[in-house]
C-alpha cells in the first residue's frame, strides 16, 4: 500500500508542477465555499473535488484503478480535476461583483497577469516544433518514406519493412502506413514488443555502441528490408560491406536496403553472452539459429534461475541442448533450480561431465564448495549424456569437440578437480568456431596444448575461469582468437590489487589483437558463420 501511495503522490507532484495553478484552484474553491450565493454550485465543485481526492489518493481505490488501467497512465486521472472550470467560474463571479467598467477591466488584467505569471506557455520547445511541411511531420520522415517508396517501385518490391531511429517510429506510421516496422509506439513508451526479435532491435537501436552484425541478424529474422539512420553516425562503406545497398539520403539520414532474407543465415548461429546481477561472476551463453534451435551453456547461480527462465521463454521455451560445463554454483546453479520445476520449458538433451565425487573434490581442495553439485546429483535427468575428452557430437549442424572433461588424468595433474575437470570444448559452424574453456586452469594448460595443439585454434574464446587465473599465456596466444569473452563483472575486470589476473589477461588478449568482451557491455553477441 505504501508503494501505491508513493506512486500517487509522485504523479500528483508532477501534475502540480510549480504549485501555483493548484494554489489558485484551491483559493477559488475556498472563495466559493465562504460566499453565501449559489450554494448548489458550492456543493458541486467542493464535493466533487473532495470525492476525487478521496478516490484518487485512497490506497485501496488507487490500487484497484491502477490494476484496471495500468500504473503508467494513472496520472491522467488528474485531468478530471475541474481546475479550469472552477478558476474561470470564480473569476467571472468576482468580476460581476465589481462596480464600474474600469475596475472590471483592471481586475481582469490583474487576473490574466496572475495566470500568465504562474503558468507555463504551452508552445514550448520541448513539446512543439515549427512545422517543416504541410503534413506537420518531421521532414526526415517524409524524405525517408519517399526514398523507400521510390526504390521499392523501381525494383518491384511490395514488402517494405523499415528499421530506423526510435524518434521517427510514430511519424513514419502516420505518413505511410504501407511501410511496416518491427515495433511501434507500444515499445517506445515502455511496453513489451510483439516478438523477442523486435525487442532486441529496439534495444540495439537505443544503445550507444551498436552491434550492427546482431542488428542485421534480427532484421532478417523480422523480415526487415530497409534501414535508415543518421549519416554522421554511421560508416556507409562498413554497412555496404555487410550486404546493405544505399538507396538514397537527405541532409540528415541515409537509407539502405538489404536483400538478406532469413534463409541467408542458415547454418549460422547467434551467440549471446549474458552478464551477472549484483556484481557476480557467472557463465551463461545461448546459441540460436535462424530455424529456432536453441543451445544453452551453463546459466549461473540459483538466484539467476528466474532470469534464465525468462530468456529461454523469449527464445521459444524449447532447449535443444543444455551444456553444463561443471557443477559449481556460478555455472550449474540456475539449471538445477530450473530442472526441479521447468514449467513450460522443454529440454531435449543435457550434456555434462561425469565429475569426481564431492568427497574426493573436497579432499583434494578443502576450500572448494559442492552445494550445487550435491543438488545436481539428486536430480534424475533421463536426457543426460556425460561427455569425455576426445568426444565429438553434433547439434542441429553445429559441431562439438570435447578437449577436457574430468578423468584420471585430471586427478594426476591437479587438486582443483571441479575447475580443472570442467568441460573444455569447441563449437564449429560452417566456417567459424569458438573455444569454451569453462573454469579450466593453469594445471591443465601444458597438457592440453601438448595433446591437442592446433586443434584448439578458434576464432573466438571464452576465457578460462572468468579470465582470472585460468590458462597460461602461451595457451591463449596459441588459439589465435579475434575476440575474447571474459565472464566477469567490472570489479573483477578492473582489479589492480594484484590478487586477480583478469586485468593481466585482458592486456594479453588485447595485445594479441583480440576484441575484449565482459559483463560491462552484455548482452555481447557474435555470429558464428
Amino acid at each position: 500500500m505504501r508503494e501505491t501511495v508513493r506512486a500517487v503522490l509522485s504523479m500528483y507532484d508532477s501534475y502540480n508542477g510549480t504549485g501555483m495553478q493548484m494554489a489558485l484552484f484551491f483559493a477559488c474553491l475556498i472563495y466559493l465555499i465562504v460566499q453565501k450565493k449559489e450554494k448548489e454550485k458550492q456543493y458541486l465543485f467542493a464535493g466533487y473535488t473532495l470525492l476525487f481526492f478521496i478516490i484518487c489518493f485512497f490506497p485501496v481505490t488507487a490500487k484497484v484503478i491502477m490494476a484496471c488501467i495500468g500504473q503508467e497512465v494513472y496520472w491522467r486521472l488528474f485531468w478530471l480535476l475541474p481546475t479550469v472550470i472552477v478558476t474561470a467560474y470564480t473569476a467571472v463571479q468576482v468580476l460581476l461583483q465589481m462596480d464600474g467598467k474600469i475596475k472590471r477591466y483592471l481586475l481582469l488584467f490583474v487576473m490574466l497577469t496572475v495566470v500568465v505569471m504562474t503558468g507555463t506557455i504551452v508552445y514550448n520547445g520541448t513539446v512543439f516544433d515549427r512545422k517543416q511541411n504541410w503534413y506537420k511531420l518531421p521532414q526526415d520522415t517524409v524524405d525517408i518514406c519517399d526514398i523507400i517508396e521510390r526504390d521499392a517501385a523501381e525494383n518491384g518490391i511490395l514488402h517494405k519493412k523499415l528499421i530506423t531511429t526510435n524518434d521517427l517510429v510514430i511519424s513514419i506510421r502516420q505518413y505511410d502506413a504501407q511501410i511496416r516496422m518491427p515495433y511501434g509506439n507500444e515499445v517506445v513508451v515502455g511496453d513489451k514488443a510483439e516478438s523477442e526479435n523486435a525487442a532486441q532491435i529496439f534495444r540495439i537501436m537505443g544503445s550507444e555502441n551498436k552491434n550492427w552484425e546482431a542488428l542485421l541478424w534480427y532484421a532478417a529474422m523480422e523480415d526487415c528490408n530497409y534501414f535508415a539512420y543518421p549519416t554522421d553516425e554511421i560508416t556507409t562503406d562498413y554497412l555496404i560491406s555487410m550486404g546493405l545497398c544505399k538507396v538514397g539520403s537527405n541532409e540528415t539520414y541515409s537509407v539502405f536496403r538489404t536483400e538478406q532474407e532469413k534463409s541467408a543465415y542458415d547454418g549460422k548461429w547467434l551467440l549471446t553472452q549474458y552478464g551477472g546481477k549484483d556484481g557476480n561472476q557467472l557463465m551463461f551463453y545461448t546459441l540460436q539459429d535462424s530455424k529456432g534451435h536453441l543451445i544453452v551453456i551453463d546459466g549461473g547461480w540459483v538466484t539467476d534461475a528466474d532470469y534464465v527462465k525468462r530468456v529461454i521463454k523469449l527464445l521459444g521455451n524449447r532447449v535443444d541442448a543444455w551444456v553444463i560445463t561443471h557443477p559449481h554454483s556460478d555455472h550449474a546453479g540456475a539449471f538445477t533450480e530450473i530442472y526441479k520445476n521447468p514449467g513450460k520449458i522443454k529440454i531435449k538433451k543435457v550434456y555434462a561431465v561425469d565429475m569426481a565425487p564431492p568427497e574426493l573434490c573436497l579432499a583434494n581442495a578443502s576450500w572448494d564448495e559442492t552445494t550445487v553439485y550435491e543438488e545436481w546429483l539428486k536430480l534424475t535427468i533421463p536426457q543426460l549424456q556425460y561427455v569425455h575428452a576426445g568426444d565429438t557430437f553434433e547439434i542441429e549442424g553445429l559441431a562439438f569437440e570435447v578437449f577436457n572433461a574430468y578423468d584420471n588424468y585430471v586427478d594426476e595433474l591437479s587438486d582443483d578437480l571441479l575447475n580443472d575437470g570442467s568441460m573444455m570444448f569447441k563449437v564449429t559452424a560452417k566456417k567459424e568456431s569458438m573455444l569454451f574453456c569453462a573454469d579450466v586452469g593453469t594445471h591443465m594448460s601444458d597438457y592440453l596444448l601438448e595433446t591437442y595443439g592446433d586443434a584448439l585454434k578458434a576464432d573466438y574464446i571464452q576465457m578460462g575461469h572468468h579470465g582470472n587465473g585460468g590458462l597460461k599465456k602461451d595457451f591463449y596466444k596459441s588459439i589465435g582468437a579475434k575476440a575474447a569473452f571474459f565472464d566477469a563483472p567490472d570489479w573483477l575486470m578492473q582489479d589492480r590489487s594484484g590478487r586477480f589476473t583478469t586485468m593481466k589477461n585482458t592486456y594479453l588478449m588485447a595485445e594479441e589483437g583480440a576484441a575484449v568482451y565482459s559483463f560491462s557491455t552484455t548482452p555481447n553477441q557474435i555470429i558464428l558463420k
Side-chain angles (χ1 to χ4, degrees):
M1 290 296 181
R2 289 182 180 178
E3 292 181 2
T4 302
V5 173
R6 279 197 292 266
V8 176
L9 289 173
S10 175
M11 294 175 194
Y12 174 73
D13 187 56
S14 298
Y15 173 82
N16 196 17
T18 61
M20 297 303 296
Q21 290 297 312
M22 288 301 294
L24 188 61
F25 168 62
F26 287 122
C28 291
L29 269 180
I30 293 170
Y31 174 83
L32 292 176
I33 292 171
V34 298
Q35 73 163 344
K36 298 181 179 180
K37 298 179 180 180
E38 301 189 32
K39 290 292 184 181
E40 67 278 1
K41 291 190 174 61
Q42 295 176 10
Y43 297 144
L44 174 64
F45 291 137
Y48 175 85
T49 303
L50 180 62
L51 181 63
F52 172 85
F53 276 100
I54 290 174
I55 294 174
C56 189
F57 283 87
F58 187 59
V60 176
T61 53
K63 194 166 186 178
V64 170
I65 296 171
M66 286 182 187
C68 295
I69 67 173
Q71 184 173 327
E72 295 80 7
V73 296
Y74 189 80
W75 60 272
R76 292 181 181 176
L77 285 182
F78 291 105
W79 293 351
L80 298 176
L81 274 173
T83 51
V84 175
I85 296 173
V86 170
T87 305
Y89 176 78
T90 305
V92 171
Q93 290 295 312
V94 172
L95 286 171
L96 289 176
Q97 293 177 21
M98 295 297 296
D99 296 327
K101 289 185 177 180
I102 295 177
K103 289 183 179 179
R104 287 182 181 177
Y105 285 132
L106 219 106
L107 183 57
L108 178 61
F109 175 77
V110 171
M111 288 179 175
L112 292 174
T113 302
V114 170
V115 171
V116 170
M117 296 299 292
T118 58
T120 303
I121 184 169
V122 72
Y123 297 104
N124 60 67
T126 60
V127 179
F128 293 92
D129 290 317
R130 185 178 295 277
K131 73 173 185 178
Q132 297 174 301
N133 47 62
W134 289 109
Y135 303 103
K136 296 183 180 179
L137 295 172
Q139 188 60 41
D140 289 329
T141 293
V142 176
D143 293 342
I144 289 169
C145 291
D146 288 348
I147 290 170
I148 292 173
E149 291 293 3
R150 183 175 62 250
D151 179 74
E154 291 174 355
N155 294 278
I157 299 172
L158 299 178
H159 171 81
K160 295 161 290 187
K161 197 169 184 180
L162 169 69
I163 295 174
T164 189
T165 51
N166 295 329
D167 58 319
L168 295 183
V169 168
I170 298 174
S171 58
I172 285 175
R173 286 182 178 272
Q174 292 174 325
Y175 180 73
D176 193 339
Q178 292 185 336
I179 298 176
R180 299 170 58 214
M181 286 179 287
Y183 51 82
N185 187 46
E186 74 281 354
V187 178
V188 176
V189 298
D191 291 340
K192 294 181 180 179
E194 294 181 3
S195 71
E196 173 61 6
N197 294 325
Q200 292 293 346
I201 291 171
F202 178 75
R203 175 187 63 79
I204 294 172
M205 291 299 290
S207 63
E208 185 175 345
N209 298 313
K210 292 176 176 55
N211 186 332
W212 299 110
E213 191 175 47
L215 178 66
L216 291 179
W217 165 281
Y218 290 119
M221 300 304 112
E222 279 290 306
D223 295 322
C224 298
N225 54 347
Y226 283 97
F227 176 67
Y229 205 72
T231 305
D232 60 355
E233 296 181 26
I234 55 175
T235 304
T236 300
D237 291 342
Y238 175 70
L239 293 182
I240 291 175
S241 71
M242 296 184 70
L244 295 177
C245 172
K246 186 173 180 179
V247 296
S249 63
N250 67 357
E251 293 182 358
T252 311
Y253 279 77
S254 291
V255 183
F256 300 83
R257 182 182 73 246
T258 173
E259 297 178 352
Q260 285 189 337
E261 297 181 356
K262 194 174 180 178
S263 59
Y265 287 94
D266 288 353
K268 299 176 183 178
W269 291 77
L270 178 67
L271 179 143
T272 304
Q273 176 199 35
Y274 301 89
K277 61 182 181 180
D278 302 324
N280 291 328
Q281 66 179 35
L282 58 84
M283 183 169 164
F284 176 29
Y285 291 82
T286 60
L287 285 149
Q288 57 187 120
D289 71 356
S290 60
K291 297 180 180 179
H293 297 118
L294 175 65
I295 299 169
V296 179
I297 300 173
D298 284 349
W301 304 79
V302 168
T303 52
D304 295 307
D306 288 341
Y307 175 63
V308 175
K309 266 188 173 181
R310 286 197 299 272
V311 170
I312 294 173
K313 179 181 178 181
L314 290 170
L315 297 179
N317 257 341
R318 178 182 173 83
V319 180
D320 291 273
W322 199 318
V323 178
I324 301 297
T325 61
H326 64 295
H328 261 151
S329 298
D330 56 336
H331 292 256
F335 174 85
T336 57
E337 190 71 10
I338 291 170
Y339 201 82
K340 294 173 186 176
N341 182 24
K344 295 182 180 180
I345 297 175
K346 305 298 181 185
I347 304 172
K348 185 177 180 181
K349 196 79 174 179
V350 178
Y351 294 91
V353 173
D354 192 5
M355 188 60 70
E359 299 79 12
L360 181 58
C361 292
L362 292 175
N364 279 268
S366 58
W367 44 263
D368 211 342
E369 60 88 20
T370 58
T371 305
V372 165
Y373 185 11
E374 289 166 10
E375 290 298 311
W376 163 272
L377 292 175
K378 294 176 184 177
L379 298 175
T380 300
I381 310 174
Q383 64 271 56
L384 173 62
Q385 179 178 326
Y386 284 124
V387 300
H388 303 86
D391 285 354
T392 60
F393 53 95
E394 188 176 290
I395 303 172
E396 302 299 338
L398 188 66
F400 282 69
E401 186 175 3
V402 181
F403 298 115
N404 187 72
Y406 176 76
D407 212 328
N408 291 334
Y409 72 93
V410 176
D411 211 355
E412 294 172 3
L413 295 169
S414 173
D415 290 331
D416 191 2
L417 303 185
L418 275 172
N419 283 327
D420 287 339
S422 58
M423 190 193 310
M424 178 187 287
F425 61 96
K426 182 165 72 173
V427 294
T428 306
K430 289 183 176 180
K431 297 179 181 178
E432 294 183 329
S433 61
M434 178 164 173
L435 180 67
F436 287 86
C437 299
D439 276 1
V440 179
T442 55
H443 298 99
M444 309 302 300
S445 194
D446 293 339
Y447 169 83
L448 292 169
L449 195 54
E450 292 170 4
T451 303
Y452 297 104
D454 289 346
L456 295 165
K457 289 184 179 297
D459 298 282
Y460 306 95
I461 186 171
Q462 176 262 323
M463 301 293 287
H465 202 260
H466 311 271
N468 173 41
L471 297 143
K472 293 182 179 178
K473 180 177 180 180
D474 57 345
F475 181 94
Y476 288 130
K477 292 180 72 171
S478 71
I479 305 303
K482 57 186 176 184
F485 289 79
F486 287 73
D487 299 302
D490 286 346
W491 67 264
L492 186 55
M493 292 294 293
Q494 300 170 8
D495 177 77
R496 297 178 181 274
S497 67
R499 180 184 174 189
F500 308 108
T501 62
T502 319
M503 184 171 285
K504 181 180 178 181
N505 283 329
T506 302
Y507 292 147
L508 168 65
M509 298 310 294
E511 288 172 358
E512 291 298 306
V516 173
Y517 300 117
S518 70
F519 288 176
S520 64
T521 53
T522 50
N524 296 312
Q525 296 177 306
I526 59 166
I527 295 177
L528 280 179
K529 301 178 180 66

